Amino acid sequence: MSNQVKGMLYLFAMEFRYSILVFWSILLSILLVFLLFCYYVISPADGSFFFGFPFAIYFYCGVLGFMAVKEIVPFALKIGATRRNYYIAAGLFFLGLSAFFSFAANTIQSLVTVLIDGTRVESMQFIHLANFLGGTWVDRFVTDLSVMFLLMTILFLTGLVFYKYGQLGGGILIGLAAAVVLAGVAQGWLIAGIIELFADINILFFYQVLLLGLILYALSFVMLRDISITKRK
């Protein structure tokens, strides 16, 4: 690994360090509030209270993928980083952060589940996409890793479109995506496809999601290789 790639990884870490700390502080605080609520207010006999780690993290990962273009590309190019090294560093950062977030979230979930087992706090239940697979730690880890990386990549590509083609290009992309979704909902094939997918889902699907993320990220270099320092309005 070249020194410039290491430097870019350090830049990514420093740029998003505060944001990551704030995000996890808020997320863990919400978890604590839910646990206290379940302990003091409701009991298992009153029903279940659901909490999902991954959904907030998925949203944050998407935002981070977009900001990786907006906040870092112009600065990295101004200080002399090559587009190739930025591309390598961003991919490694996305994969590493996805793995770290997945490991942290699912380890905390497992620990909390063990601690509250048999107590009145057991009324709080964790929800996760991997519950369709059986919900083991490995299932949850693979699921989160693949979805987080894919979302980072998609929003990274979206950020590149906005950066390179301006608000007009980005608006066209968002409009086309919205049109496809609305058409799918109106015609029914999108909802039917989702129902069919989750009816027969397995862990192999999420490996395919990770592969899709890697392919999309590989294609992102086509846009990145001739990107300029100046963002288009």
Side-chain angles (χ1 to χ4, degrees):
M1 184 185 298
S2 71
N3 289 333
Q4 191 175 96
V5 172
K6 293 178 183 178
M8 288 300 305
L9 286 172
Y10 179 79
L11 176 62
F12 273 102
M14 292 300 101
E15 178 66 32
F16 294 112
R17 178 183 59 178
Y18 180 74
S19 171
I20 292 171
L21 288 175
V22 170
F23 172 77
W24 276 96
S25 297
I26 294 173
L27 189 60
L28 293 177
S29 296
I30 293 173
L31 174 61
L32 179 60
V33 169
F34 278 20
L35 290 171
L36 292 174
F37 178 80
C38 290
Y39 183 80
Y40 288 107
V41 179
I42 64 175
S43 66
D46 299 321
S48 297
F49 199 75
F50 295 98
F51 180 87
F53 259 120
F55 306 107
I57 301 177
Y58 293 168
F59 177 80
Y60 176 78
C61 285
V63 173
L64 187 145
F66 186 86
M67 297 304 293
V69 177
K70 180 181 178 181
E71 298 294 333
I72 297 183
V73 165
F75 179 75
L77 297 181
K78 285 178 182 178
I79 63 175
T82 66
R83 291 156 181 78
R84 177 178 175 274
N85 285 336
Y86 169 85
Y87 170 77
I88 294 172
L92 291 174
F93 181 75
F94 290 165
L95 275 174
L97 196 65
S98 297
F100 171 74
F101 278 4
S102 181
F103 177 85
N106 291 303
T107 299
I108 293 171
Q109 177 176 329
S110 295
L111 290 174
V112 172
T113 301
V114 171
L115 290 174
I116 67 177
D117 185 36
T119 70
R120 62 180 290 118
V121 187
E122 196 176 31
S123 56
M124 192 187 81
Q125 301 291 322
F126 286 97
I127 55 175
H128 198 286
L129 286 177
N131 290 347
F132 292 98
L133 308 175
T136 67
W137 189 94
V138 174
D139 290 338
R140 298 198 308 268
F141 178 84
V142 172
T143 299
D144 287 343
L145 172 64
S146 60
V147 174
M148 288 177 198
F149 183 74
L150 178 63
L151 289 174
M152 283 186 187
T153 300
I154 290 174
L155 269 294
F156 179 73
L157 282 165
T158 304
L160 287 174
V161 171
F162 272 93
Y163 187 93
K164 193 169 183 177
Y165 301 108
Q167 294 182 0
L168 177 61
I172 292 174
L173 175 65
I174 299 298
L176 289 174
V180 171
V181 172
L182 290 174
V185 172
Q187 297 173 11
W189 56 262
L190 181 60
I191 296 176
I194 293 174
I195 293 174
E196 183 179 352
L197 172 66
F198 281 95
D200 192 32
I201 199 168
N202 55 57
I203 193 63
L204 179 61
F205 170 76
F206 290 102
Y207 283 111
Q208 294 170 338
V209 169
L210 179 59
L211 178 60
L212 174 61
L214 292 171
I215 292 172
L216 290 176
Y217 189 78
L219 294 175
S220 70
F221 189 69
V222 175
M223 295 184 61
L224 187 61
R225 64 184 177 180
D226 61 349
I227 203 165
S228 65
I229 295 178
T230 305
K231 177 183 176 182
R232 187 168 180 177
K233 301 284 186 177

